[in-house]
């Protein structure tokens, strides 16, 4: 592997560019796909690997190529720089998520409470309009405050986010669904919101609740059986 | 692959510090194997290691091959498998197989 390839891979990761790394397993030739200098069959294999988000060996003609899909990291958008976020943010980033923390209240969302975090001090609806959650984005509201949570959930329901969760008891959640339905969201759409958020692992402490949330997000993302909720 | 360690960046920093580095990459897996394709391990001639390509069962053999690859400059494709009999013998039910590509960082 060339040192310059590592630099290029890191640059792609930092700029959220999807790339496929291709390695000829006989002579060691390598490409970062798409590359106009690479054979078209290789570029096509790179596109397919990225679409499937899967790395594996392909036989093209008489040669074996390892093709590694390097899609941008999945994102977790947390609304509310609260206590649970302090446990959830590091857990999520260790699990490979790029974490974005939204809280317009600077007393909560500041670097002292979240050193090094990607903090956005805008209102959640404005912040989510900017971030445009896609199929690789999870959104979790944590504030318990309808002024902050509701606009975030409203925006999330209008997006392709693969996971939407809202912290709060069953009672809180029922009231929340009524408010969102008054905003015009249909029952089917509201079922996308996981509330109470997280897997039922009997969490008591803050880190345990954070663990249940990240576990459910992983289960949904990877198609694990625990990701399915039976109503 | 996003991992606990950013193995490629670690390898590049060792290389930048003047070390000779080899990179091992899981290129294919069959059956149940502990690490998916794209998992990496970096090794230096001085014996530094980062990352992993299995649950710990083949790292020793891969590190040894990495030393040969750094000496020769020629990449190698390794296959590791657990035969069913052997799996039974050591109490592993998985019978997984992995292929690992070992190459110098240049």
């Amino acid at each position: 592997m060339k040192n310059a390839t590592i630099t290029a891979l890191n640059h792609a990761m930092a700029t959220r560019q999807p790339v496929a790394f291709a390695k000829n397993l006989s002579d060691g030739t390598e490409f970062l796909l798409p590359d106009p200098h690479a054979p078209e069959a290789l570029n096509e294999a790179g596109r397919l690997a990225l679409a499937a988000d899967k790395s594996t060996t392909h036989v093209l003609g008489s040669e074996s190529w390892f093709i590694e899909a390097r899609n941008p990291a999945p994102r977790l958008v947390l609304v509310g720089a609260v206590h649970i976020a302090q446990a959830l943010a590091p857990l999520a980033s260790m699990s490979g998520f790029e974490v974005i923390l939204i809280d317009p209240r600077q007393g909560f969302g500041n670097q002292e409470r979240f050193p090094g975090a990607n903090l956005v001090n805008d209102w959640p609806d404005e912040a989510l309009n900017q971030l445009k959650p896609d199929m690789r984005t999870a959104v979790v509201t944590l504030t318990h405050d309808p002024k902050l949570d509701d606009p975030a959930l409203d925006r999330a329901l209008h997006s392709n986010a693969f996971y939407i969760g809202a912290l709060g008891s069953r009672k809180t959640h029922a009231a929340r669904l009524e408010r969102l339905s008054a905003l015009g969201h249909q029952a089917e759409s509201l079922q996308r919101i996981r509330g109470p958020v997280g897997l039922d692992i009997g969490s008591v402490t803050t880190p345990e609740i954070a663990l249940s949330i990240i576990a459910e997000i992983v289960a949904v993302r990877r198609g694990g059986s625990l990701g399915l909720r039976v109503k | 692959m996003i991992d606990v360690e950013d193995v490629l960046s670690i390898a590049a920093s060792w290389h930048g510090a003047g070390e000779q580095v080899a990179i091992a990459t899981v290129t294919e897996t069959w059956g149940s194997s502990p690490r998916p394709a794209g998992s990496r391990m970096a090794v230096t001639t001085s014996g530094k290691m980062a990352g992993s390509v299995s649950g710990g069962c083949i790292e020793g053999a891969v590190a040894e091959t990495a030393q040969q690859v750094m000496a020769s400059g020629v990449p190698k494709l390794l296959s590791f498998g657990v035969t069913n009999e052997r799996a039974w013998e050591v109490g592993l039910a998985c019978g997984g197989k992995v292929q690992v590509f070992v190459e110098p960082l240049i």
Side-chain angles (χ1 to χ4, degrees), chain B:
Chain B
M1 257 266 315
I2 310 300
D3 221 322
V4 185
E5 285 180 294
D6 183 355
V7 178
L8 289 180
S9 295
I10 294 170
S13 74
W14 286 341
H15 189 260
E19 296 236 38
Q20 232 188 318
V21 185
I23 294 171
T25 306
V26 175
T27 55
E28 197 161 6
T29 66
W30 295 265
S32 115
S33 73
R35 306 288 328 267
S39 302
R40 287 198 169 88
M41 176 170 124
V43 179
T44 66
T45 37
S46 61
K48 291 197 181 91
M49 273 207 265
S52 79
V53 287
S54 78
C57 18
I58 61 170
E59 271 74 7
V62 170
E64 226 174 276
T65 306
Q67 297 297 339
Q68 297 163 18
V69 163
M70 284 185 279
S72 69
V74 181
K76 262 192 177 175
L77 187 61
L78 306 174
S79 290
F80 296 92
V82 186
T83 69
N84 286 335
E85 284 146 52
R86 176 91 183 128
W88 186 80
E89 194 183 290
V90 297
L92 291 170
C94 71
K97 283 205 293 183
V98 288
Q99 205 160 67
V100 180
F101 187 71
V102 189
E103 61 183 327
L105 177 58
I106 49 173

Side-chain angles (χ1 to χ4, degrees), chain A residues 74-98:
Chain A
R75 296 186 298 179
L76 171 60
V77 178
L78 296 178
V79 178
V82 296
H83 194 47
I84 285 183
Q86 288 177 309
L88 184 50
L91 211 47
S93 96
M94 191 186 282
S95 308
F97 287 81
E98 183 188 321

Side-chain angles (χ1 to χ4, degrees), chain A residues 141-206:
Chain A
T141 60
L142 301 170
T143 72
H144 282 110
D145 181 347
K147 278 200 309 295
L148 295 166
D149 284 356
D150 288 7
L153 291 168
D154 173 58
R155 288 294 94 202
L157 287 171
H158 280 111
S159 78
N160 288 325
F162 73 89
Y163 180 98
I164 305 172
L167 188 69
S169 67
R170 276 172 211 286
K171 214 174 135 192
T172 312
H173 191 58
R176 175 187 291 137
L177 292 182
E178 273 182 31
R179 291 192 306 272
L180 288 167
S181 122
L183 288 179
H185 292 285
Q186 302 299 312
E188 198 177 312
S189 165
L190 290 173
Q191 279 190 10
R192 288 175 66 197
I193 305 175
R194 309 233 164 190
V197 69
L199 293 183
D200 182 5
I201 55 172
S203 312
V204 174
T205 66
T206 302

Side-chain angles (χ1 to χ4, degrees), chain A residues 1 3 10 23 55 57 68 96, chain B residues 9 27 37 40 103-106:
Chain A
M1 191 172 218
N3 207 27
N10 283 342
K23 182 83 190 174
S55 306
T57 299
E68 181 185 5
Chain B
S9 295
T27 55
R40 287 198 169 88
E103 61 183 327
L105 177 58
I106 49 173

